[in-house]
Amino acid sequence: MIGYVKYEYNLLGMNFVFVCMRTQNWLLFFAILSPFFGHSQFNIGYELSNTIPVIKNGDSLYLPWAGGLNNPQFSAMNFTGDDALELFVFDRDGALRKGFKFNNQTGKYEWVHTIPEDSIAFHKHFPKLVDRGFCLIRDFDGDGKGDVFTTRDYQNIGVFKNNGSVVPSFSSFSEGLITKNGGQTHPIRILGNQLPVIADLDNDSDLDIMFFGVNLYGQPFGCNTFATFENQSVEDYGSNDSLKFKVADRCWGKITPTSGTHPISNWRAFDCDTTCANDGQRHQDVTMTQQLHDMNGDGELDLLITYDHNDELYSMPNTSTSAHGTIDVNQIDYQFPSNDVQVEMNNQPYPYFIDVDLDGDDDMLLGANQLNNASTLEYDTSNAVIVDQFYKNIGSNSAPEFVLEKRGYLSGEMIDVGLRSFPTLADLTGDGLPDLLVGNIGYNTFNDALSSARLSFYKNVGSLGNPAFELINEDYANVSQLNLRLAHPALVDLDNDGDIDLIVGDHTGHLQYFKNIGHPLSANFSQLTPNFNLIDAGIEAHPQFFDLNSDGLLDLVVGNENGTVQYFENVGTSSAPDFSSTPTISKLGAINVYNSLDGKNHPLSHSKAG
């Protein structure tokens, strides 16, 4: 979400504050609560607001400030204590936790950013998750409260038990589930991008586990086949309050991918042997993602799969039991659902079967499930912002029939500008209302070239005190044509001619200066001065203008990736500013947020004369 550190100083008789922020691809709105007070001191308080209207393509977004989604994972959960359906959403990009509650009157989901019963931020009720793997809510002990199953140490499966009453409260139950395989004991390990099936496969009331085994770390859980781990809690203890497993089926479905290169598009029948010598693909990097759901009403769970960076979902009928399935390879639906619009979504779509619209049967909610590159801090995997889809079940649970209802069911209702967000406000249309300009570092898909950074312009169509923003231009000033890796905008009348100019910090640490050659009512940023004054702030430039020495001239402060702030004094005039190419002060105030926020210092300023 947003991490920030606020630095308050009194220099040269003036108070100012630096707020160093780090964001991903989303935008949140905070309203000031506390007024300034005191002669030379001030206090600012902020409260998250979800009431500022945002309009896109003529429609009002109903979740504009909910923060965007990249790789959402959905679980049904009751986290406010009433009977209305609620969605717990884990986004593996940033390991974020969000809640959404169905409104019966509007027929839409509302963002729950605080738990109403205690007004504490929603995510603080859930364990802090640092791994970018999975987080699914499942009630393993039958107490009616959803527990957390999640990745631990990027490969093990950990569990947090819900000990709360009305609202959730968790404690660690297992750092890593283990299983018996013959006479040996092994940790149950799963590849980073996988999502396991956690369900009662053998109908004994405790939760079992299933996923695509790739002989991970030399442990023979599966021969490039689907392996199941049977929970022995009921068998050994007579209750379902434990998580004790044994390898039950190393070849669930009795199929394996055909040999060949990616993508895997064909399967063949396969019975496990003791060596796995005759199975299919031997690629260690195969990330098969699977789900089980009764697709034909026969009471047994069928298989739905996708795999590495694929955009489709395959449905495979199970002709045997849920515990020991057998897939008929001649009946695989490679255009699922063949009765309607085929599933197609970047990137590795994963189905969640939840009664989304509360009509009594399970619908299909899809979420993207593929990290772009787990070794970097750049996670966005879609060159579009639509990362979920809602397929309504127009049949029943005994005879499901899924039809596409909406792309971007939740994600399409949010502001999402790509990788990271850099917002700034200024009146660009001369109507006295501050407009919104948001920069980013582009869009990314796995193994694709990163698209150029750009600016999105939202015009303020509200009024003073009641702002409303409408998306006007998603490539403002044609910044994408510069092929920048980062575009952090600053808006200021730099040459004192009565209109707003645009300065864009880029990934190389340089500034791109766009002089406004229009007029206050209609900005025109077509005149570019590249590498403004040859200023180089290092890796990433995050500019802000502020009269730091009270001489009536706007000075320049620039944050960078290393977490420091550089100060460039304006030694020119109000109409002809002049900045040295080297900073006047290279580490202003000894500020360094590298250790606390991994750097990426975004200075913002506010002043009040003493």
Side-chain angles (χ1 to χ4, degrees):
M1 216 162 76
I2 291 183
Y4 76 92
V5 176
K6 184 174 73 174
Y7 295 90
E8 186 174 335
Y9 296 91
N10 187 297
L11 295 179
L12 304 176
M14 181 170 295
N15 288 84
F16 65 94
V17 62
F18 283 98
V19 181
C20 307
M21 290 189 172
R22 181 180 176 194
T23 68
Q24 273 196 341
N25 62 327
W26 37 78
L27 199 62
L28 305 181
F29 181 82
F30 288 81
I32 296 177
L33 289 179
S34 302
F36 298 129
F37 59 90
H39 181 64
S40 63
Q41 299 293 323
F42 60 86
N43 182 39
I44 300 179
Y46 296 93
E47 181 180 74
L48 190 60
S49 173
N50 195 34
T51 61
I52 308 300
V54 177
I55 302 165
K56 181 178 180 180
N57 298 326
D59 293 327
S60 294
L61 303 182
Y62 64 85
L63 297 170
W65 307 103
L69 297 171
N70 288 346
N71 286 284
Q73 300 171 6
F74 301 100
S75 297
M77 182 182 185
N78 188 334
F79 47 73
T80 61
D82 60 20
D83 295 329
L85 178 68
E86 296 157 348
L87 285 177
F88 172 84
V89 181
F90 174 75
D91 196 326
R92 70 192 320 173
D93 288 6
L96 299 180
R97 297 138 292 170
K98 299 182 182 182
F100 298 89
K101 184 179 183 64
F102 191 78
N103 186 320
N104 285 291
Q105 294 181 337
T106 64
K108 297 178 179 179
Y109 281 87
E110 298 175 347
W111 177 34
V112 180
H113 52 82
T114 60
I115 299 291
E117 284 73 10
D118 54 17
S119 299
I120 296 176
F122 176 85
H123 69 278
K124 292 185 178 181
H125 287 270
F126 293 83
K128 184 178 181 180
L129 307 174
V130 296
D131 292 357
R132 301 183 298 274
F134 72 89
C135 178
L136 298 172
I137 306 298
R138 300 290 187 268
D139 179 10
F140 79 86
D141 53 4
D143 64 356
K145 296 177 290 188
D147 307 300
V148 167
F149 286 73
T150 186
T151 315
R152 302 300 297 268
D153 301 321
Y154 298 95
Q155 58 190 18
N156 296 317
I157 299 177
V159 179
F160 292 86
K161 178 175 168 52
N162 187 349
N163 301 304
S165 53
V166 176
V167 298
S169 176
F170 295 90
S171 62
S172 179
F173 185 83
S174 174
E175 291 290 325
L177 299 178
I178 60 175
T179 185
K180 286 187 176 181
N181 182 35
Q184 296 182 319
T185 299
H186 302 281
I188 300 178
R189 290 176 171 170
I190 185 168
L191 288 178
N193 282 339
Q194 286 216 46
L195 265 173
V197 174
I198 303 174
D200 183 8
L201 302 182
D202 54 3
N203 294 314
D204 64 352
S205 80
D206 55 24
L207 293 180
D208 310 302
I209 297 175
M210 178 262 217
F211 57 83
F212 187 74
V214 289
N215 216 8
L216 186 60
Y217 304 106
Q219 299 168 7
F221 292 158
C223 299
N224 286 293
T225 53
F226 299 95
T228 63
F229 305 84
E230 185 179 285
N231 193 344
Q232 298 296 288
S233 178
V234 170
E235 287 84 349
D236 290 354
Y237 307 120
S239 67
N240 58 1
D241 58 359
S242 300
L243 294 168
K244 180 182 179 182
F245 296 91
K246 72 173 184 179
V247 177
D249 194 334
R250 293 170 56 242
C251 292
W252 190 99
K254 297 181 175 57
I255 56 172
T256 190
T258 56
S259 297
T261 58
H262 294 291
I264 305 169
S265 58
N266 292 289
W267 294 75
R268 64 179 175 85
F270 174 72
D271 284 322
C272 283
D273 57 25
T274 58
T275 65
C276 299
N278 298 312
D279 63 341
Q281 296 256 97
R282 298 303 299 166
H283 296 286
Q284 183 74 2
D285 62 344
V286 169
T287 303
M288 195 69 61
T289 301
Q290 62 290 306
Q291 176 65 291
L292 295 175
H293 189 72
D294 184 3
M295 302 298 294
N296 52 19
D298 65 357
E300 304 296 343
L301 298 176
D302 304 297
L303 177 65
L304 297 102
I305 64 152
T306 186
Y307 51 85
D308 278 359
H309 314 296
N310 190 45
D311 296 339
E312 291 84 31
L313 187 67
Y314 300 158
S315 175
M316 300 183 171
N318 175 16
T319 61
S320 185
T321 65
S322 299
H324 298 280
T326 300
I327 297 300
D328 184 347
V329 295
N330 296 315
Q331 297 185 49
I332 297 176
D333 184 357
Y334 288 105
Q335 276 134 17
F336 175 79
S338 55
N339 63 284
D340 193 62
V341 179
Q342 181 182 3
V343 169
E344 185 175 2
M345 183 177 69
N346 295 355
N347 190 351
Q348 193 165 301
Y350 187 85
Y352 304 83
F353 294 95
I354 299 170
D355 185 7
V356 174
D357 53 7
L358 298 186
D359 65 352
D361 51 46
D362 289 334
D363 306 294
M364 183 170 67
L365 191 57
L366 296 164
N369 186 50
Q370 187 72 57
L371 289 177
N372 172 56
N373 187 341
S375 65
T376 73
L377 293 178
E378 296 169 5
Y379 310 139
D380 197 338
T381 59
S382 177
N383 56 8
V385 297
I386 303 304
V387 294
D388 65 335
Q389 296 179 8
F390 171 39
Y391 277 75
K392 178 178 174 59
N393 186 354
I394 62 172
S396 63
N397 284 337
S398 60
E401 183 178 356
F402 299 104
V403 296
L404 179 61
E405 184 81 4
K406 183 179 179 182
R407 301 182 190 273
Y409 184 65
L410 296 179
S411 61
E413 299 295 332
M414 305 176 187
I415 296 177
D416 193 331
V417 297
L419 280 167
R420 296 169 60 190
S421 60
F422 310 110
T424 188
L425 292 161
D427 181 8
L428 291 172
T429 57
D431 59 3
L433 302 176
D435 305 300
L436 175 65
L437 193 63
V438 188
N440 68 5
I441 65 172
Y443 297 83
N444 204 358
T445 58
F446 187 86
N447 285 340
D448 280 354
L450 182 75
S451 64
S452 299
R454 67 186 75 169
L455 304 179
S456 296
F457 171 51
Y458 292 81
K459 176 178 169 56
N460 190 341
V461 295
S463 61
L464 286 175
N466 292 288
F469 297 101
E470 181 174 6
L471 178 62
I472 302 299
N473 190 330
E474 293 185 279
D475 189 13
Y476 192 65
N478 296 315
V479 166
S480 68
Q481 296 181 8
L482 300 180
N483 294 317
L484 301 179
R485 186 67 177 78
L486 174 147
H488 190 149
L491 294 168
V492 62
D493 184 4
L494 191 58
D495 52 8
N496 199 32
D497 64 352
D499 55 33
I500 300 294
D501 303 301
L502 169 65
I503 295 87
V504 176
D506 68 24
H507 63 291
T508 67
H510 295 95
L511 305 179
Q512 312 303 320
Y513 172 46
F514 295 79
K515 176 177 171 55
N516 189 348
I517 59 175
H519 52 80
L521 299 181
S522 179
N524 182 348
F525 295 120
S526 59
Q527 181 174 319
L528 168 66
T529 301
N531 297 333
F532 178 62
N533 280 35
L534 299 180
I535 291 170
D536 186 351
I539 302 175
E540 296 194 2
H542 303 283
Q544 176 74 36
F545 289 88
F546 182 82
D547 183 7
L548 192 62
N549 55 5
S550 299
D551 63 355
L553 303 178
L554 289 173
D555 304 303
L556 171 67
V557 290
V558 185
N560 58 32
E561 187 181 58
N562 294 327
T564 62
V565 177
Q566 298 179 1
Y567 164 53
F568 298 83
E569 182 183 2
N570 185 349
V571 296
T573 66
S574 61
S575 59
D578 186 17
F579 304 95
S580 171
S581 61
T582 58
T584 309
I585 302 176
S586 60
K587 294 182 179 179
L588 182 64
I591 296 169
N592 193 325
V593 297
Y594 187 84
N595 290 331
S596 58
L597 292 173
D598 295 328
K600 304 185 189 308
N601 195 326
H602 307 173
L604 300 175
S605 64
H606 184 92
S607 67
K608 181 175 177 62

